[in-house]
Amino acid sequence: QVQLVESGGGLGQAGGSLRLSCAASRSIFSISTLEWYRQAPGKQRDLVATITRSGSTNYADSVKGRFTISKDSAKNTVYLQMNSLKPEDTAVYYCSVKGVVQGVDGPRTFAYWGQGTQVTVSS
């Protein structure tokens, strides 16, 4: 099983920046889609950014132009650079690694989740 450990969360200021990191215990990024989610108090967990095996990225409208997802496959680490922070960005942020591998009877899906890191943005 793959373990994911997030870091970089904490207290940020409106207009400031934070960088989140997610390190995987095994080298699986070459076959995986990497994602960042966030969950604010009382709300559902929302997808905020993805990066594919080829490096293509997608962002939620709420973070587009402010957040950047990237990866270093050699280090088994995915990053979320968060700029121009807003109080609305306050949430627990989770990284996710998802993909498909060949099983004995056919394709086998997998999904791993980090434990989350708290981001709090003050005004």
Side-chain angles (χ1 to χ4, degrees):
Q1 183 171 312
V2 176
Q3 297 182 28
L4 304 176
V5 180
E6 299 106 333
S7 62
L11 179 63
Q13 298 179 349
S17 299
L18 288 172
R19 190 183 75 161
L20 306 184
S21 299
C22 175
S25 61
R26 290 184 177 273
S27 181
I28 60 170
F29 285 9
S30 63
I31 59 172
S32 305
T33 293
L34 311 176
E35 303 174 314
W36 284 97
Y37 288 77
R38 68 184 182 186
Q39 186 169 21
K43 298 184 178 180
Q44 67 179 13
R45 187 174 299 183
D46 294 325
L47 178 65
V48 299
T50 64
I51 185 167
T52 68
R53 292 167 54 193
S54 65
S56 298
T57 59
N58 282 286
Y59 301 92
D61 289 340
S62 59
V63 306
K64 193 171 299 181
R66 300 188 298 118
F67 290 8
T68 302
I69 186 172
S70 62
K71 63 180 179 180
D72 187 336
S73 296
K75 297 181 178 180
N76 298 317
T77 302
V78 60
Y79 306 95
L80 185 68
Q81 180 67 45
M82 308 165 63
N83 297 328
S84 302
L85 287 168
K86 302 176 180 180
E88 303 93 277
D89 296 322
T90 296
V92 177
Y93 285 72
Y94 301 87
C95 66
S96 176
V97 180
K98 302 175 182 175
V100 181
V101 296
Q102 182 63 48
V104 175
D105 298 321
R108 181 180 179 181
T109 61
F110 64 86
Y112 298 99
W113 292 84
Q115 293 181 327
T117 184
Q118 176 71 50
V119 171
T120 302
V121 182
S122 65
S123 59

